[in-house]
Amino acid sequence: MDSAFVPAKKNLGSVFFDSADKATTYPHFTSAQIVDGGLIVQPENIALVTVQGGHFPEGVYHAFDYSLFFENLKVNIAERIDAFTHK
């Protein structure tokens, strides 16, 4: 929640689906940093987060919020469930 730069090596894996709905995980796909209340990311492969005719302007990856940090989210969810169930 602070503005510290988090390097891509802390990203456990981004997950993207191809046209056949096959998931591929890309470890260390992007860094992250909160700047002026917004999240700034630097994906290693812009093509995976580029949508032609999408709802967001070029360079805005809001549609990929979950995909970019999917593996980290899974770990965080498991930790929260564990903390809640083992009070």
Side-chain angles (χ1 to χ4, degrees), residues 38-76:
L39 182 65
I40 304 298
V41 298
Q42 297 174 342
E44 71 175 32
N45 183 346
I46 297 294
L48 291 174
V49 290
T50 300
V51 177
Q52 299 299 323
H55 299 289
F56 298 103
E58 183 178 336
V60 175
Y61 307 126
H62 185 56
F64 300 97
D65 285 351
Y66 292 110
S67 293
L68 288 172
F69 304 101
F70 189 81
E71 294 299 329
N72 293 75
L73 289 167
K74 283 182 13 183
V75 168
N76 184 270

Side-chain angles (χ1 to χ4, degrees), residues 6-42:
V6 180
K9 69 181 179 181
K10 296 276 191 172
N11 184 322
L12 300 177
S14 299
V15 176
F16 298 98
F17 294 86
D18 65 16
S19 60
D21 289 332
K22 179 181 177 268
T24 302
T25 300
Y26 299 87
H28 317 297
F29 184 77
T30 189
S31 59
Q33 184 174 23
I34 296 173
V35 176
D36 296 329
L39 182 65
I40 304 298
V41 298
Q42 297 174 342

